[in-house]
Amino acid sequence: MSSWIIAGTALGYLLLLSLLAWSAESVRKKRKSWINNGYVYALSMAVYCTAWTYYGSVGRAATSGLDFLTIYIGPTILCALFWPVLLKIIRICRTQGITSIADLVSTRYGKNFSLAVLVTIFCVMGVIPYIALQLKAIATSFDLLAGTTGNTNQSIWKDSTFYGTLLLTIFILFFGTRSVDAAEKHEGLIAAIAFESVIKLVAFLAAGLFITYGVFNGFSDLFQQANAQPRLQQLFTFQENNAYTSWFSMLTLSFFAMLFLPRQFQVNVVENLDENHLKTAGWVFPLYLFVINLFVVPIALAGSVLYPGATANPDLYVLNIPLDQGRHLLSLLIFIGGFSAATGMIIVETIALTTMISNHLALPLLFSTNRLHQESRRNLSAVVLWVRRGSILLVIGLSLLYDKLVAEQYSLVSIGLVSFAAVAQLAPAVLGGLYWKGASKNGALAGLAAGFICWMFTLLLPSLAGAGLLDNSILENGYFGISWLRPDALFGLTSLDPVSHSLFWSLLLNSGLFVLVSINGQKGTRETFQAELFVDFLTKEKFEVEPAAWKNTANLPALRLLLQNFIGSERAVSLFQKYASRHQIPLNTTTADPRLVQFTEKILAGVIGSASAHILVSRVAKAEELSMEEVLNLLRESQQMMELNKELRRKSAELTRVTEQLSALNRQLMAMDEMKDEFLYTVTHELRTPLTSIRALTELVHDNPEMPENQKTEFLAAVVRETERLSHLITQVLSLERFESGKQPLELQTIQTKELLDEALSDIQPLVQQKKLRIQTQLTHPFQLIELDPILVRQVLYNLLTNAIRFSPESGTILFAAEVSGNHLEISVSDQGKGIPEAALELIFDKFYQAPNQTLKKPEGSGLGLAISKKIIELHTGNIRAENREDGGARFIFILPLSQINL
Amino acid sequence: MPGKKILVVDDDPYILMSLEFLMQKNGYSVVVARNGTEALQLVQQEIPDLVVLDIMMPDIDGYAICEFIKKQPALNHIIVVFLSAKTRESDQRKGLELGAAAFVFKPFSTRSLIKEINQLLR
């Protein structure tokens, strides 16, 4: 295929990326960012899958079997199970304005300068090979596609790697240094990275599908052919014992890589727009890893079957197979997929490294020479930007150099593992710093340095020696000819593979020194303070940096000028005003409030890193270094404050609850009050009726002396009856009131059931005779003893019986029954009247309830009888109800417990 | 005015008894109704000049009867006097809004009631 077509396609692809990045940036300005969602975040995390995944996994699978998978299991475990670690880091970095992994380590240990430098150098050394690996992947895939041979000796001007790198550099320069504030998000870039993740996935799946179904006849055909080769069979089973250690160390490496690789830190933490996206990423990212690995084994097997005599580079099977099948368009797509995997990594890694180099190496160097300080009136943001651009060129240049000098000799995966092992060294300092207050700056320094040196001796230098850049004899005879210093068998440990071996020794030394030095050493005050902040970050909600902890005062204009120099006067002034109004700090003084000093430092940290920011701010601010005791006091105070706050919140919640209860009670009382009002109104209404008759009739008798005698007698008789009715009503109302208010105690006696019934019957005898009714009694246990208030229950029976009598037709029958069931007595009164409307069966127990649709009022009733009866039964913890008999007529039933004692 | 016809409506027999006596004594011819149903029937049948109307009755309440009277062109000249134990101001207002000429509270004085009725029928 013509080189020009391939190069043109790659260029077109880069232009497309730029367009995408540019449109994402412009959308962001409208504050409605379509990249602000968990899927884009998860896809940007997939920058984890580089050319190593794209080409190298197949290569690894073809040579070492399934252990390529470990590289993806580590991050899956992290995202699915250990995401709180990531969340904690994200939150800390947001509050403290941290922009890189070096910044994180340095900030945790008291904004220590040396630590930032150490981590930066370490990351650069560790990651440059990894970037070189990507360049190598682009170049080899290009050469394979173009049919040229990658000749290292040819002039750099004819080298495809060089041109590709140049284009990429321009892209990074443009989108990576648009804003001076490194804490600001690169939305455009992230959009591009997420897009690249999609492209590489699609391309790889296309390759996998083509090879499995186009070249072979599906999975079963492929596996059958592969099974025929004993070498391949062997490949996919655990063979030696140390396969397990190798698996474990790879898993550990990839777990740490997902956390600490500068590019992962960049996308996971710095570019995180919303911590809720972490939840989506928790399943989308592992899913992505799963899908992209689906066809690794099939492709590796296919390659091994098709090129049995190692006639092709296993790393390039994925491209080689379609190409040999004459599928040029597909091959081009696969090349672009690999190109996107490589470029995505290079872009993000370069930006992450650039932030570190400029903030922790270049800028502090510039600021420590006083030249810049004197020129502080100049716009320093331009300086920062140029330093960044320089750093980008430096990183890319170094990678290119490493690629030319070393990378030719190694496979993709082995270079990647060297990088992974490097960043794994950050684990003790970072994780220890996040969860152990005792971790100290010196411990971190000692551990990191030891781990770093160990890594250099066991992995980096051997790789250089392998490339012929160092004396090859160290591989055979050990450093300085000492055999127990052999890089792959330190202290005679020979049973591990080189990576596990390196990881074992470096992490052992690293964490050992870290812990030992931390325990034994003294800690500075600032360090102690940061330790509190980091470790207690999630437990103490919203534990913001407590600026008053540092009695920094500064000349306000000088402070403002400092900030202006980096972010421009307009933004500096507006930030100051916003912060001042939020915390009610006066801005018209000459001495700046300590909080303002702290704020300035945080903003500057976002631009130039915390260590540099600290240096610059302390130049204008007079920092009064606090004694350890003072810091501890401050911390204690803030803790007390917090406890007080918690207590207050608890109290206030309690208060709210009580208020709610009170208002509920109030509503209830008001409802009761209303009911009471209504009751009183009804009572007065009921009282008025007999009163009306009495008054009218007596007035008439009084005013009309000539009234005939019989009429006068009739009137006076009515007056007497109405007076009786009135006093009966008053008695009823008063007794009901007594029952309801609980003022009426039960006067309990134990009597025989028969006795109770007999007395009730004798009460109503005259009425029965009057209406010629028949009363039929049924009594199952006449001598059953029952405990109750006989007077009150007799009143109930009287009410029920008189009701029955009132509604019975002439010479009807009333059934009066009592039976004992269990420990209850059930008494019922049934009549042969017209029954009760269904809807009224419950309402009739309400006070003054009048059955509707009766055309004649029954002047005998007070309207309170049933209400009082119900109350009395309830006082005996019994219940009463009304029902209609099947053959017409109503039945009232009440149930009483035989004994009141256990109630 | 003697000779005029008055319909007395109340569900309480004693009140009815006293009102019937009072009206007759003052020269009116009296018709009595013991509930709303009877009242509706008699008001159309007898077309009285004035109705003394109770409100709380078990079947149809006095308001409904008044409303009925005031809506019928043939009946709406009939003077309605409410006589009720409902003593809330809202009850009174409702009665007067429905077109009643007077609202007398129970217990009432026979003397002032007859004076009021005499005036209304003059």
Side-chain angles (χ1 to χ4, degrees), chain A residues 444-459:
Chain A
L445 270 172
L448 274 173
F452 182 40
I453 291 167
C454 190
W455 167 78
M456 267 199 349
F457 278 106
T458 51
L459 279 181

Side-chain angles (χ1 to χ4, degrees), chain A residues 129-198:
Chain A
Y130 201 177
I131 299 180
L133 177 157
Q134 309 299 320
L135 295 175
K136 177 188 168 184
I138 296 177
T140 45
S141 60
F142 182 89
D143 288 337
L144 179 69
L145 206 55
T148 54
T149 46
N151 188 348
T152 38
N153 295 328
Q154 70 189 6
S155 154
I156 196 166
W157 304 111
K158 289 180 182 170
D159 187 349
S160 47
T161 320
F162 177 72
Y163 288 106
T165 313
L166 199 67
L167 281 176
L168 204 53
T169 312
I170 295 170
F171 180 84
I172 299 171
L173 282 174
F174 188 68
F175 286 101
T177 59
R178 284 170 73 85
S179 160
V180 67
D181 186 354
E184 217 168 78
K185 320 285 178 193
H186 303 87
E187 264 103 336
L189 265 178
I190 291 304
I193 297 306
F195 176 71
E196 296 216 281
S197 292
V198 175

Side-chain angles (χ1 to χ4, degrees), chain A residues 461-648:
Chain A
L461 292 184
S463 84
L464 295 179
L469 294 176
L470 284 177
D471 184 3
N472 216 347
S473 68
I474 57 166
L475 295 181
E476 302 293 325
N477 305 325
Y479 293 103
F480 319 112
I482 303 168
S483 66
W484 51 267
L485 282 184
R486 242 178 66 191
D488 57 349
L490 227 47
F491 306 109
L493 183 68
T494 51
S495 61
L496 295 174
D497 62 288
V499 173
S500 302
H501 170 264
S502 167
L503 191 69
F504 172 76
W505 282 117
S506 58
L507 274 185
L508 185 73
L509 280 174
N510 183 340
S511 44
L513 274 175
F514 171 66
V515 171
L516 279 179
V517 175
S518 290
I519 288 174
N520 292 319
Q522 279 276 319
K523 274 188 297 175
T525 48
R526 186 173 279 274
E527 221 184 313
T528 314
F529 188 74
Q530 290 292 68
E532 290 280 338
L533 284 186
F534 271 60
V535 175
D536 287 341
F537 195 83
L538 286 185
T539 47
K540 301 183 178 173
E541 321 152 34
K542 309 235 166 180
F543 195 143
E544 290 218 11
V545 186
E546 187 61 67
W550 306 102
K551 296 189 211 152
N552 279 345
T553 51
N555 181 284
L556 186 59
L559 198 66
R560 192 183 289 139
L561 188 67
L562 179 67
L563 197 58
Q564 270 174 6
N565 284 335
F566 284 97
I567 63 171
S569 88
E570 203 178 311
R571 191 148 165 250
V573 170
S574 102
L575 279 176
F576 262 33
Q577 274 168 352
K578 241 184 257 168
Y579 186 82
S581 72
R582 186 147 45 100
H583 297 272
Q584 293 167 340
I585 301 168
L587 277 179
N588 48 10
T589 53
T590 47
T591 315
D593 187 279
R595 281 172 288 177
L596 216 49
V597 178
Q598 189 81 4
F599 176 67
T600 309
E601 191 177 323
K602 186 188 152 187
I603 298 290
L604 275 184
V607 182
I608 55 173
S610 58
S612 313
H614 187 55
I615 293 176
L616 283 187
V617 169
S618 43
R619 270 196 201 147
V620 292
K622 267 191 297 200
E624 211 179 296
E625 208 45 38
L626 302 183
S627 72
M628 176 64 103
E629 201 172 338
E630 278 178 291
V631 170
L632 287 179
N633 277 337
L634 279 165
L635 288 173
R636 220 167 287 138
E637 266 169 38
S638 71
Q639 191 138 11
Q640 277 167 1
M641 274 294 247
M642 225 115 55
E643 265 152 31
L644 216 63
N645 256 335
K646 209 186 281 171
E647 178 74 0
L648 263 173

